[in-house]
């Protein structure tokens, strides 16, 4: 495996080790202090001995193979040393040094040089400008991060099943510090810095295979290669270990200008969101939620559904927690009569056995009522996880926690404890028992929400997997790809920038997307013939790749009912178009069937800078233009993705049949989304943007037709 | 003042004091331990002496006036003791005992009896089923809450300027515990329990007058008397002290069935939201945010706008915090060139002076760069508050905090510190300096958001105040009230349940709400005459209070252009209506001008169970029916309220002129909202629901007309 040398190696050279304060001394000191079991070779020509070890003047002088090199020298010295590493056969180097792409043009050039060296020699590099990493399994503390001063030894975190991989060293190490402060700590912590070579998701894909890892957290500012993220997502699904990310940088600055709606509406953050959803990667809203979730998931317990049991000693707390659950889509269902009967004997008559279960403050006088009621709630048939709410009561907290722990041991459902205003002693005892615990209930509810979201994602993915398996047996929509690609190649070579509506619809039709009956006429006579073949009434539109806004050009006429009207319309459309755009090439006039539709949707494809072809879906009119009520998915889509992206829009009731309308055929719509997404993937080398606007839906909801289409080609190179 | 005896009294009797564990011993012990300076009389016939004080067999035996009585006996003994209190001239009693409305029918009856006693005798009662209160100013610890075990003496919280009033004793005392744990504590803590008499907002209105109080927090499950809340809000505005509430119980169960859109869409929680907004009461999303805000506001510093300066040692943290700010509507503006020039000399070239200001990890080697850059950021012209982000770095944290403190002292802008993974020592030092500090940046940003929201609310209220002053000079729309009230009184007495469209519009017109030209015709001839007077084209509609859905009844015909068409329409409408609703009383046919409108809105009034007449506003069609895109305000509205409730809907661009339409006259619309809200207030004794649906807006945006209206009357009693 390409990252083996990072986590599993026999020897490390520390190039630039020295007794000076900062990185040069802290990196070797931490490595030795935390008991690295392999060989360590300090490299520094100025010293014979360093940190009690023989020092070497350079890498070549080391009389042994070196698997891993740590580079802690000024930026300008790094490149020659990496060359030496490559010569010596070092597999991986960690470059702590800063002064690369984060500092300006010169640094960028230096980093580009480093990238080429990696490519040329096969040397893998973590960094530059990184804070190194910690791997508790292999007793590897390869970092200068000051958080390691807080740890006495690695045994303190040896039970952690959390891996945390971060693009920000500072924020990442603080996050480790915060998790450690809360009694957790991370089994793996890796800072990837500027990512000249090794990326966050590549590291995550490696460590997620460690059987001791239950959950992976990511801090991301940007993703260079989404393929690594796809691989990570696949492993997450295969191993059934959740991956949760905090992706920052939502306030997108450089929004690209684009001709279509889709281009102007898509913000790259929404595309990240879509990609995460499609691939079952969880997204935390902030660092606190991420850490809270990692701590919950590290207990290794999963839920089967989204139904939470809540048990409190305060009616008010029960109401407050129910509110928070409702806001986040977590159910707090009433327990069955039988389950309530099991709880009722233990609690006072003014308590509640319904859920939230209120055992009342009477528990403070009779602590013995907690255990049997918690036990019954945990076993209740319609409960997937349990939240226990207590607070203060220092004098009897430890006794109550013992009881909670006994119930916790006997179940495999997650139990989360909220101990509001809990003392440090209380929180430590809960942590020692490895029971996920928070002081504030909103944090517990936020973490539970992500666990339930994970379960939901996994289910959708499984369905998608099955649907893919079925689809594989069908004749693929990808059949026409090669011929079409060749045709587009030629058109781009000829300088064409857009396909006209007629051409675009032909491509859509080739991918099995329904388009209305339509003919291109180049004379009034041809138009009459076309109208008679299609059947009245018809619509007529100017066909010109140079006129994008046909209505503005007076180039669209509706509801044409006689041959005479067809002739008049033909002449008028051509005349209007000539006047509107004198230089435009007019290919003729499209004659189309007039569709009786009562709803419309928009489908658009853009090229996202990170993820490539990306599909947008929305309802027509105010829904897109005013409300920005749209959803995104990265192409290609599974049928499950398509159904989900349809359901995601706020105006979904319009399709489901609000306001007296008939439900639209959502399966057919999903199929069209899948087809355009395949088309976008097949043709991504040639197509810059695509849009079907509108896709009309007939009043009975059963006929869906692309009524207008736009395809923008990549510029000729 | 009616609550004086609660906070400012010379003598307290403790009825039911005893050495037994629980309330009977803890209440007197805490009172004495924390140094209550007045006289204390334990009342218990079984003892001669209690807690070192002479005990009395009953209240009458006390040879002195008693201002305040604490009742800590079983529920069934409470009523006779309250009678004794009233006889003795006790001003206020605190009833700790539970067993009242929270326990069932019997308890409810007992509490109702208590309510009547209060009314009859003038005795004020806090509780029952409450946890008492703490008033640090008067050294009054009148509670058994276990949180008081954590305090050594009241000096620990004597600097607190926070008052916290709660309907939940358990949750409230835990909140005190949590605030205390974080270094704050509350100056006032009052648990109001079942609120037989004294309510949360009444207590809050009292304590907010204490000059030592800077901010008030409320925990609310329901509001019995919104008048108290209005008074509190007025004091908050007058004294310029923020009031923040956590209102729980959003998941409204019993949604009332109602005839109009408004009724079925309004959830009472949205009305709470509206009321809070109108009155400048802040609403926290959860308890953590409430406590975070109280701690920030207690420093007494206000902002002038919503522009935040952020200073970090990590680019990643800056991005993360900017995201969080954007989500909450907080600006992180770029600093002016001059301000950037002031910062740049202190930070390394790869840092950023733009905002977020990134002083980089170089500060760890050169701590002296923090102070001047923070100073310059704080002074920057377009910055209203500053967030400082650090984390870990235990070894130099204290030095950095000293520098932050120096800058803090020299400015009156709020500075908030986030110290991610900060040690207890770090957090304590920040707390000792009274600098608002949080470990997690999202918490800091949430608290800052509320402070900025407060400033915005205050501004809107000031504008509203000015607008009210102007409006007072105008002829009031309330002129027709008395005549209309009399008319409605008679109609209800006659068993009428609804006004027909014509009658409703007459009332709207009387309040100055524009209605179209309209005449009621009782024959085809009259209809023709009406149409000729109004001018063609016209609309004709059946007039019947018994037919609410006129279109369904075939009772509406549009675009009628000739006398012949009018005659036909008349006959057809009457025939359709007779067939649709054979028993209905048909008053005739309305003939109205046909308005050329291209947009429509809906105005509706419902009676909220807590707040009375409440106005809903929304755009017509899918916006209300599918998207529930509506806003609420409690009547009457100020013009500022009206403008805000218009701006609040998501589809606001429709009115502002999206999709090629002309902007609608929003001031005229706001005026109509104000008028219908006055009407709703004037007529609330008679009117159950009102709706104008649609209010049409002409294509030029300048003419607004109520095209249809519904008024539902209260049922005859």
């Amino acid at each position: 495996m390409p990252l083996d040398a990072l986590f599993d190696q026999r020897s490390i050279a520390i190039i630039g080790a020295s007794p000076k304060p900062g990185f040069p001394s802290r990196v070797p000191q931490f490595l030795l202090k935390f008991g690295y079991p392999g060989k360590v070779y300090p490299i520094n020509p100025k010293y014979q001995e360093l940190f009690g070890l023989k020092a070497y003047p350079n890498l070549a002088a080391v009389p042994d193979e070196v698997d891993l090199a740590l580079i802690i020298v000024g930026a300008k010295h790094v490149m020659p040393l990496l060359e030496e590493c490559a010569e010596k056969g070092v597999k991986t180097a960690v470059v702590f040094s800063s002064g690369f792409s984060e500092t300006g043009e010169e640094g960028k050039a230096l980093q580009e040089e480093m990238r080429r060296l990696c490519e040329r020699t096969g040397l893998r590099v973590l960094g530059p400008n990184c804070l190194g990493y910690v791997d508790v399994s292999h007793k590897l503390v390869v970092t200068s991060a000051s958080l390691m001063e807080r740890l006495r030894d690695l045994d303190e975190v040896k039970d952690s099943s959390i891996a945390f991989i971060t693009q920000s060293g500072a924020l990442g190490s603080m996050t480790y510090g915060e998790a450690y402060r809360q009694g957790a700590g991370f089994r793996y912590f890796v800072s990837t810095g500027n990512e000249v070579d090794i990326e966050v998701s590549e590291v995550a894909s490696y460590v997620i295979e460690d059987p001791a890892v239950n959950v992976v957290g990511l801090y991301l500012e940007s993703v260079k290669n989404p393929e690594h993220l796809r691989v990570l997502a696949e492993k997450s699904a295969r191993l059934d270990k959740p991956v949760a990310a905090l992706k920052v940088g939502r306030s997108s600055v450089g929004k690209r200008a684009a001709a279509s709606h889709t281009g102007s509406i898509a913000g790259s953050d929404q595309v990240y969101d879509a990609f995460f959803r499609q691939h079952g990667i969880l997204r935390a809203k902030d660092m606190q939620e991420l850490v809270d979730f990692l701590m919950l998931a590290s207990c290794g317990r999963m839920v089967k559904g989204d139904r939470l049991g809540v048990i409190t000693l305060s009616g008010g707390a029960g109401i407050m927690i129910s509110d928070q659950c409702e806001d986040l889509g977590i159910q707090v269902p009433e327990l069955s009569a039988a389950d309530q009967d099991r709880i009722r004997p233990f609690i006072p008559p003014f308590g509640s056995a319904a859920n939230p279960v209120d055992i009342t403050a009477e528990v403070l006088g009779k602590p013995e009522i907690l255990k049997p009621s918690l036990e019954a709630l945990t076993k209740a048939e319609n409960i997937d996880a349990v939240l226990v709410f207590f607070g203060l009561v220092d004098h009897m907290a430890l006794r109550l926690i013992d009881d909670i722990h006994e119930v916790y041991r006997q179940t495999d459902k997650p139990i989360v404890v909220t101990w509001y205003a809990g003392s440090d002693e209380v929180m430590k005892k809960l942590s020692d028992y490895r029971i996920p615990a928070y002081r504030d209930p909103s944090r517990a509810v936020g973490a539970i929400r992500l666990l339930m979201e994970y379960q939901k994602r996994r289910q959708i993915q499984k369905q998608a997997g099955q649907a893919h398996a079925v689809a594989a047996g069908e004749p693929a929509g990808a059949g026409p790809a090669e011929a079409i690609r060749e045709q587009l190649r030629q058109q781009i070579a000829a300088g064409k920038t857009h396909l006209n509506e007629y051409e675009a619809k032909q491509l859509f039709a080739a991918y099995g997307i329904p388009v209305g009956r339509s003919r291109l006429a180049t004379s009034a006579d041809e138009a009459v013939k076309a109208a008679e073949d299609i059947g009245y009434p018809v619509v007529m539109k100017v066909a010109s790749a140079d006129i994008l806004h046909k209505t503005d050009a007076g180039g669209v006429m509706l509801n044409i009912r006689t041959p005479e009207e067809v002739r008049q319309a033909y002449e008028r459309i051509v005349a209007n178009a000539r006047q509107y755009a004198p230089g435009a090439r007019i290919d003729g006039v499209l004659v189309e069937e007039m569709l009786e539709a009562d709803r419309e949707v928009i489908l658009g494809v853009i090229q996202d800078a990170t993820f490539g072809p990306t599909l947008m879906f929305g309802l027509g009119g105010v829904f897109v233009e005013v409300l920005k009520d749209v959803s995104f998915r990265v192409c290609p889509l599974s049928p499950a993705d398509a159904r989900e992206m349809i359901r995601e829009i706020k105006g979904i009731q319009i399709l489901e049949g609000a306001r007296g309308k008939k439900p639209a055929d959502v399966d057919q719509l999903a199929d069209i989304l899948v087809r355009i997404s395949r088309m976008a993937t097949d043709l991504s080398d040639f197509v810059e943007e695509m849009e079907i606007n509108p896709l009309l839906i007939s009043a009975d909801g059963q006929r869906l037709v692309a009524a207008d289409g736009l395809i923008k080609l990549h510029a000729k190179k």
Side-chain angles (χ1 to χ4, degrees), chain A residues 73-76 78 95-100 102-103 110 128-130 194:
Chain A
V73 299
K76 62 179 185 292
V78 170
V95 181
F96 291 84
S97 329
S98 56
F100 292 87
E102 79 282 8
T103 56
L110 206 53
N129 187 33
C130 78
N194 294 2

Side-chain angles (χ1 to χ4, degrees), chain A residues 667-693:
Chain A
D667 285 342
Q668 197 187 144
L669 179 57
D671 181 64
I672 293 171
L673 295 181
V674 170
R675 285 172 189 276
I676 196 174
S677 86
R678 271 190 216 155
M679 181 175 166
T681 307
D682 286 353
L683 309 180
S684 65
D685 295 344
F686 309 101
V687 168
E688 177 81 20
E689 290 179 23
M690 292 201 281
E691 193 168 83
I692 297 179
N693 180 13

